[in-house]
Amino acid sequence: MMSYIILGFLCVIPSICLSILTDGETQNDTIRDESGDSKTDVFRQLLNQETLIRMSLVKNVHSLMKDMVEMKESMSTSNKRLNDAEKEISSLKNEVHLLKTENQKLKEQAVKFQEQFKTTDSRFDEIEGNFTKVSFSRAKYERHLNKKIEDFEKNMSTILNDIKIEVRYLSVTLLDLNKHTMEINESIPNLIESKFTEYSTIVSKSVSDINNKLITSKDYQEQLVYNLSTLGNDQSGLMKIISDNMNSTIMSIKADVEQSQKSQLKLSAAVSSLEVFRMNMSLLNNCGAKSIGFTVGVTSSSSTWSGDILVFPHLVTNHGNGYNPSTGKFTAPKDGTYVFFVAVNSYGSQTVYLNIVHNGLNVVQSMAYGSSASHQTGTNMALIHLDKGDSVWISHSSGTGYYTTSVPITTFSGFLLA
C-alpha cells in the first residue's frame, strides 16, 4: 500500500515541476513572441503537450485514488481475514495442544496396556501350565478311577457269585424245610389217629377187664366204677393236653414256614437287586467307555423361517462329535439303536410342523399348533436303528417360524441306546 502512495507522489511532483517550467517557458515564449512569431507554434505545441500530460496525470491520480480506496477496502478485508485466521490459528493451537495432551495420555495408556498385556501373557502362561497340570491330573485320576472300577467289578463279580451260591444253598434249605413241613403236616393227622386208636384200644381192654371183674366181685365193681370215672376224667384231660400241644405245634410249624417263605422272598429280592445293580454297572461301564449323545438348540427366534433343514447351532452336549452344528445333521459314528427327540415352540399364534428325517425319509412329525394361546409346544420321539454313516436331521414340513430364548426352548436331542 505504501509503495502505491509513494509512486503516486513521485508521479505528481514531476508533473508540478514540469508545469512550473512550462509556465516559465510560456512567459519566455510570450516575450519572444514579441521578438518573433516563428517560435509561437512550438510553444503552443509544448502547451498542448503539457495539457495532455496534465490530463493524463489527473486521470492517473484519480485511478490511483480509486486503487487506494480499493486497496483500503481489501486491506480491511485482509485484516478481518487475518483476525479470523489468527483466531483459527489460536483455536488450532488449542486443538493441537489438546491433541498433544490426548496423545500423551494415549501413550501412557498404551504403556499401561502393554504392561497389562505382559501381565496377561504371564497369566495365560500360568493358566496354560495349570491346564497342563490339570490335564495330567485328570488323566492320572481317570487311570486311577478306571483301576478302581475294574477292581470293584472284579470284587462285585466275586461277591455276586458268593451271594448266588449262598442263595442257592438257602433255596435248597428252604425247599427241604418246605418238604419237611409238608411231611409234618401230612403226618400229624396220622399220628393223632394212631395215638387215638392206641388209646381207644387200651381203654377198651381196660373196660373189658373191668366188666370181667364186675361179675366176680361187687366191691370190686364199685371200686371199678370209681376208677372208670377217674379214668374218664384223666382221658378228657389227656385229650385236651394232646389237642393243645398239637395245636401249638401246628401253629409253631406254620409260623416257621411263613418266616421261611418271607426270608426266601427277601433273598430273592436281594438277588434280583444285586443282579440289576450288576447289569447297571455293566451298562454304565459300556456307556462311559463309548458315550454317544447330543443335545442342541437355537437361541434366537424367527417368525418367517420356512427353510429345508433346521440347523441348531447352540451345542449343549455333543459326546462323540456326531452332530455337525454347521449342517444340522447327526451322523452315526457306529452301528446301533438310537433315540431321537425334538421339541419346537411356535412363534406367537403361528403353526409349524417339523419332521425327524433318516437319510431323507420322514420318520415322525412334531406339530406346534397355533391357536388363541401363544407359544404352543410340539414334541415327538423316534427309536431308529442306524448303520455307521447314516444321518438324521430335523426338516421343515409346513408352517412358519419358531420361538426360543437364550436358554434354548426349541431343541433336538439323541443318544445311543444299544
Side-chain angles (χ1 to χ4, degrees), residues 24 38 49 53 74 102 150 154 181 242 313 384:
S38 62
Q49 288 179 0
I53 290 169
S74 64
E102 291 179 358
E150 291 176 358
K154 292 179 182 178
T181 303
I242 292 172
I384 308 173

Side-chain angles (χ1 to χ4, degrees), residues 114-278:
Q114 288 178 355
E115 293 176 355
Q116 290 178 358
F117 280 136
K118 291 180 181 178
T119 306
T120 305
D121 290 335
S122 63
R123 288 181 180 176
F124 275 126
D125 293 335
E126 291 177 0
I127 291 170
E128 187 176 359
N130 292 331
F131 273 124
T132 304
K133 292 179 181 178
V134 169
S135 300
F136 180 75
S137 300
R138 179 184 176 185
K140 185 177 180 181
Y141 177 74
E142 286 180 351
R143 290 194 297 269
H144 182 66
L145 183 62
N146 292 329
K147 186 177 180 181
K148 281 189 174 180
I149 290 173
E150 291 176 358
D151 295 337
F152 178 75
E153 288 178 352
K154 292 179 182 178
N155 295 330
M156 183 57 65
S157 300
T158 305
I159 293 170
L160 287 174
N161 292 327
D162 294 339
I163 291 174
K164 285 181 180 179
I165 294 170
E166 291 179 1
V167 168
R168 288 170 185 165
Y169 177 74
L170 289 173
S171 299
V172 173
T173 305
L174 288 172
L175 289 174
D176 293 337
L177 181 61
N178 287 330
K179 184 177 179 181
H180 182 66
T181 303
M182 292 176 67
E183 290 177 355
I184 291 173
N185 289 331
E186 291 176 356
S187 64
I188 286 174
N190 296 327
L191 180 63
I192 293 173
E193 185 176 358
S194 64
K195 292 290 183 181
F196 185 75
T197 303
E198 183 180 356
Y199 186 74
S200 298
T201 303
I202 293 170
V203 171
S204 297
K205 186 178 179 180
S206 299
V207 169
S208 63
D209 291 338
I210 291 169
N211 288 327
N212 292 327
K213 289 181 179 182
L214 281 173
I215 296 171
T216 58
S217 176
K218 186 176 180 181
D219 295 333
Y220 185 76
Q221 185 177 3
E222 292 177 355
Q223 185 68 30
L224 183 61
V225 170
Y226 176 75
N227 290 332
L228 285 174
S229 62
T230 304
L231 183 62
N233 294 328
D234 293 337
Q235 183 180 4
S236 61
L238 181 61
M239 289 297 294
K240 185 177 180 181
I241 292 170
I242 292 172
S243 178
D244 292 338
N245 290 332
M246 291 299 295
N247 289 330
S248 62
T249 303
I250 292 171
M251 292 297 292
S252 177
I253 292 172
K254 286 183 178 180
D256 292 337
V257 170
E258 290 178 356
Q259 187 67 27
S260 299
Q261 290 177 350
K262 289 180 181 180
S263 299
Q264 185 177 9
L265 290 174
K266 289 180 179 180
L267 287 172
S268 299
V271 171
S272 300
S273 299
L274 289 171
E275 189 67 23
V276 171
F277 178 73
R278 186 183 65 80

